[in-house]
DNA sequence: ATGAAAGCGCTAACAA
DNA sequence: TTGTTAGCGCTTTCAT
């Protein structure tokens, strides 16, 4: 029944048995400050002491509590990653590769998903709760309002395959517009006469830019305005149905450019199975992304390859820039795609021209 | 130069401008405890007060700092999710769906990836730093040592499509063994005579169980021991090469069961392109997973469907169990797969029997 | 080069 | 029903 200062022996507390700086300090009979300094490579500490601490910490199986650290440093070491598009295998691959790179940077990936329709905004409240050091948005729709909130909340945002012209946000994109033009030019060069386009999600900027580039390209090389099947989704079904619609009309296309590879594969299947067409003799099909599947013998899809690794590199560079200098301005980078020529596109000029 | 208690006006501090409980308390002239109680739906607070606080909090754009909360409650509200297998589209889909469910439970997904070879163990130190409430491992290799460390660290682990017999870990799996048997029985029923199997990763438990089930099934129904192409990876290439090898020998199989769908698709492509075979007339091909692609017209793959949604449901149930009762024992659940019959398998009995 | 002490934002005893 | 206070584990002045 002593009163004393009554701090010790609060052993009923949670604790969960993890080793803390205090434990190390006690074991070595130094102060917690010293332990902290040793762990954070503070130069103002004796080498011997540092070594002793580090050794002991290792022995005791110490692992820092990043919650506590983050609370004081105001840096969470968390990167928030938003994804919605999952039917396209391109993005899962980006998620995995990016996460690995972030891990190497000491950043932990917190993943947020949403269904395709509602975009990413609904996850915003979740985001703020952990105060991530950076937010990365993968080709998902994020309203400019949400973007603004992030910026206000001092969380730098990097958009991947999206950009917002006005807003103060970094972006790393494949140059979708040029990709679209490239396809138009190539098709013209191979003597195609009747271009068409099957859209993914109508208002996705990737889709908009690819189509715009394709249209402009067609005009520039003297091709007619492409027929456009508009807006379901970036899915196999969209391509399948789109292709059928395209050939239901009176004027048949001789080349179909698709919003992405998955759509293109759906389109090819429809052409072969439903329309009895042969590819590329009756119709050329071109995709976008160059996912692994595109090069499989069953598809052999000619497509615009997104420079995924280079894009990821850019994201990492941008993160470093944003996190190192306090007031670095957001920056937008556009990387060119490259046409991967395979057998789904007719190459020779035929009887044309 | 006053000394005083000198707490106020530490305005040079980080702060980052976020609204805290203290701000709300000040604005309403109540104590922070009251605010905290209102926010956490503590029953011991006056309804009026709660409403006032909630309203004000909303007005001020308050969002709790989960670092601080986690520090005291010892619950991070974080679920660690480990993935390595990315070539198989089954798992990205699980990741996205699972994440959405976890979000609904108020759990944030922290994603860890590793390359296929090294398994998941390397990420363990990262894990402990945030003290997740639960760890979920998706079909990745996690050494029993790592599992043990998690259990010791009081972090419950749920394996998805993996299990460890001895260890104290929960698991939710497709019943891969029965799936393998089912395939053998079906093949026999359709008059096949010469079964074969193309492996994924040799030591992956999914692969091992499917093969074991297939072997046992073949024996049970009087089919010969299946020829086995062993162990590259769960990839298209593995299937492509495996199929070629299978037909390089003297005895040709008339039915090839594959470690998963991607392998099966690779095998079919090889059969058609490299071997000039027709499917299913010359050889039947059966996969495992039933990914979206399997039902595409270009593949029409007969396959064992994993009950993905039911499996995810089980994971959620298990999480709730583990997190609610303190000392709930880990539990292993095996869910049966279902054969999806498509045209890649010959159905009629032929001249057989 | 080291220690003492304050405090990040929050919750949970314990009082009142 | 509410306020006071201690403290989660850590970093960081400020002394020494």
């Amino acid at each position: 029944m002593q009163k004393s200062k009554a701090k010790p022996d609060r052993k009923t507390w949670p604790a969960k048995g993890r080793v803390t700086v205090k434990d190390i300090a006690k074991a070595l009979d130094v102060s917690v400050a010293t332990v902290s300094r040793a762990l954070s490579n503070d130069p103002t500490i004796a080498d011997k002491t540092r070594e002793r601490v580090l050794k002991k910490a290792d022995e005791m199986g110490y692992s820092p509590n990043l919650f506590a650290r983050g609370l004081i440093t105001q840096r969470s070491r968390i990167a928030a990653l938003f994804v919605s598009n999952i039917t396209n295998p391109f993005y899962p691959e980006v998620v995995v590769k990016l996460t690995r790179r972030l891990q190497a940077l000491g950043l932990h990936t917190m993943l947020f998903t949403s269904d395709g329709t509602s975009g990413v905004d609904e996850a915003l409240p979740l985001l703020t709760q952990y105060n991530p050091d950076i937010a990365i948005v993968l080709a998902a729709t994020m309203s400019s309002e949400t973007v603004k909130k992030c910026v206000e909340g001092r969380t730098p945002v990097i958009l991947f395959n999206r950009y917002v012209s006005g807003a103060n946000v970094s972006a790393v994109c494949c140059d979708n517009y040029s990709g679209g033009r490239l396809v138009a030019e190539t098709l013209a060069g191979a003597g195609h006469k009747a271009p068409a386009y099957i859209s993914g999600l109508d208002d996705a900027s990737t889709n908009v830019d690819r189509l715009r580039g394709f249209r402009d390209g067609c005009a520039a090389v003297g091709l007619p305005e492409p027929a456009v099947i508009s807006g379901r989704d970036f899915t196999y079904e969209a391509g399948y149905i789109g292709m059928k619609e395209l050939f239901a009309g009176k004027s048949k296309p001789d080349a179909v450019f698709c919003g992405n590879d998955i759509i293109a594969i759906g389109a090819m299947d429809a052409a072969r199975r439903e329309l009895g067409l042969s590819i590329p003799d009756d119709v050329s099909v071109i995709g976008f992304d160059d996912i692994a599947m595109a090069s499989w013998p069953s598809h052999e899809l000619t497509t615009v390859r997104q420079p995924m690794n280079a894009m990821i590199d850019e994201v990492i560079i941008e993160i470093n820039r944003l996190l190192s200098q306090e007031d670095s301005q957001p920056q937008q980078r556009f990387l060119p795609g490259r046409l991967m020529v395979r057998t789904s596109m007719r190459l020779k000029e035929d009887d044309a021209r």
Side-chain angles (χ1 to χ4, degrees), chain A:
Chain A
M1 262 237 174
Q2 341 99 301
K3 240 184 168 174
S4 75
K5 238 335 165 41
K7 176 149 29 175
D9 269 323
R10 230 179 194 317
K11 64 176 130 200
T12 52
W13 246 77
K16 227 183 172 183
R18 308 228 300 107
V19 179
T20 73
V21 279
K22 208 186 275 177
D23 297 326
I24 302 175
K26 206 170 295 172
L28 255 39
D29 200 42
V30 295
S31 73
V32 288
T34 302
V35 175
S36 173
R37 280 190 273 256
L39 267 76
S40 58
N41 264 318
D42 190 318
T44 167
I45 195 180
D47 288 350
K48 269 185 189 162
T49 320
R50 184 192 349 267
E51 275 169 42
R52 279 202 325 148
V53 172
L54 257 31
K55 180 153 162 288
K56 197 71 185 178
D58 191 49
E59 270 174 39
M60 300 177 72
Y62 172 76
S63 167
N65 182 330
L66 295 195
F67 277 31
R69 186 179 286 174
L71 200 52
I72 182 108
T73 60
Q74 300 287 350
R75 310 190 72 234
S76 60
R77 307 266 47 173
I78 285 177
L81 193 51
F82 291 86
V83 200
S84 68
N85 192 330
I86 189 62
T87 56
N88 182 359
F90 184 80
Y91 292 106
E93 194 177 338
V94 172
V95 169
V96 168
K97 288 191 171 170
L98 198 50
T99 298
R100 201 125 74 211
R101 298 289 296 276
L102 292 170
Q103 266 171 216
L105 252 79
L107 286 170
H108 300 244
T109 304
M110 200 162 256
L111 187 70
F112 298 91
T113 62
S114 59
D115 49 35
T117 56
S118 70
V120 121
D121 304 296
E122 58 183 22
L124 180 72
L126 301 176
L127 184 152
T128 62
Q129 301 183 338
Y130 281 109
N131 236 29
D133 290 344
I134 189 113
I136 305 170
V137 181
L138 290 196
T141 314
M142 188 182 218
S143 72
S144 43
E145 196 185 348
T146 303
V147 168
K148 211 171 61 187
K149 276 206 183 125
C150 284
V151 174
E152 277 168 9
R154 302 260 211 301
T155 302
V157 177
I158 300 179
L159 303 177
F160 190 95
N161 257 343
R162 278 280 179 291
Y163 59 90
V164 182
S165 20
N168 223 19
V169 206
S170 297
V172 175
C173 303
C174 179
D175 188 340
N176 292 302
Y177 176 81
S178 300
R181 285 196 69 123
L182 177 61
V183 171
E185 289 155 13
T186 312
L187 287 176
H192 294 79
K193 295 275 167 51
Y197 181 83
I198 302 179
S199 279
L201 217 56
D202 265 340
D203 54 345
S205 78
T206 44
N207 191 73
V208 171
D209 292 347
R210 286 165 198 177
L211 174 54
R212 200 163 44 83
F214 189 52
R215 274 203 172 111
D216 289 0
C218 286
V221 296
L223 245 33
E225 171 84 358
V228 174
I229 296 294
S230 79
R232 268 163 277 266
D233 203 349
F234 286 104
T235 58
Y236 177 91
E237 287 73 23
Y240 201 89
I241 298 172
M243 195 64 157
K244 287 204 288 184
E245 277 182 31
L246 222 36
F247 277 82
K250 56 238 157 266
S251 64
K252 326 287 190 196
D254 63 359
V256 180
F257 176 36
C258 299
N260 76 0
D261 285 350
I262 294 287
I263 296 178
I265 289 170
M268 287 199 290
D269 277 4
R272 294 192 176 119
R273 303 254 311 186
E274 304 271 340
L275 307 167
L277 300 173
S278 135
I279 294 168
D281 299 326
D282 298 319
V283 59
S284 291
V285 177
I286 294 92
F288 209 113
D289 284 349
D290 196 28
I291 56 180
M293 221 181 300
S295 64
W296 292 357
S298 40
H299 308 305
E300 285 278 13
L301 178 67
T302 294
T303 187
V304 181
R305 161 177 246 158
Q306 295 204 51
M308 184 195 291
N309 291 323
M311 290 167 76
I312 292 175
D313 288 345
E314 286 297 331
V315 171
I316 298 296
I317 291 170
E318 184 66 7
I319 291 176
N320 281 326
R321 235 174 41 81
L322 256 27
L323 295 189
S324 58
Q325 298 120 293
E326 183 58 31
D327 294 315
S328 49
Q329 284 305 301
Q331 201 169 285
Q332 317 215 129
R333 299 271 294 125
F334 293 82
L335 280 64
R338 187 158 74 88
L339 194 76
M340 307 300 290
V341 179
R342 304 204 181 90
T343 62
S344 76
M345 188 185 71
R346 178 164 52 81
L347 287 179
K348 60 177 196 302
E349 288 238 3
D350 260 8
D351 57 333
R353 175 50 177 312

